[in-house]
Amino acid sequence: MRCGIIVDDALIMRARLREILEKDFSIVAEASNGNEALEQYEKYKPDFITLDISMPQMDGMDALQKILDAHPDANIIIVSAVGQKQMVFKALSIGARDFIVKPFEADRVLKSINRLFS
């Protein structure tokens, strides 16, 4: 079973993503900011990571860049709120594989993750 990490500063958003993903994937860790995301990525080397853009301490854009610098083949899905279109395009140009928008639609989330491995 493929494994992933969920990164979002909002506990409720992490819980919702976990609820959607745990049917098909093993969630090995969660993180609430970019610093924790880097630590968890290094520890678990997951098959994928969902990464929120707006977080305290280190935002998703900085974490995206740092993870990809160390692991160019990382499968990173950016999580954004409506209205962050410019940031999403920037994230995709840096190397994010896809994006999902809050509030989450289960079908869209699963489609995005599954597309990484097809």
Side-chain angles (χ1 to χ4, degrees), residues 7-10 14 31-37 51-63:
V7 184
D8 197 302
D9 58 323
R14 294 196 311 268
S32 62
N33 62 59
N35 291 325
E36 291 175 7
L51 189 59
D52 188 24
I53 289 177
S54 301
M55 296 182 293
Q57 295 181 32
M58 181 192 299
D59 70 18
M61 298 302 287
D62 289 340

Side-chain angles (χ1 to χ4, degrees), residues 24-92:
D24 298 314
F25 304 98
S26 172
I27 302 304
V28 294
E30 294 182 13
S32 62
N33 62 59
N35 291 325
E36 291 175 7
L38 294 173
E39 290 171 15
Q40 299 295 0
Y41 196 92
E42 287 302 324
K43 181 175 181 181
Y44 292 103
K45 305 278 194 302
D47 296 308
F48 69 91
I49 181 171
T50 65
L51 189 59
D52 188 24
I53 289 177
S54 301
M55 296 182 293
Q57 295 181 32
M58 181 192 299
D59 70 18
M61 298 302 287
D62 289 340
L64 170 69
Q65 188 67 63
K66 289 179 187 236
I67 291 170
L68 288 172
D69 285 349
H71 306 278
D73 58 342
N75 288 312
I76 302 172
I77 305 289
I78 287 294
V79 175
S80 74
V82 174
Q84 292 181 312
K85 193 183 233 179
Q86 292 296 98
M87 296 298 277
V88 168
F89 286 134
K90 183 176 179 189
L92 292 170

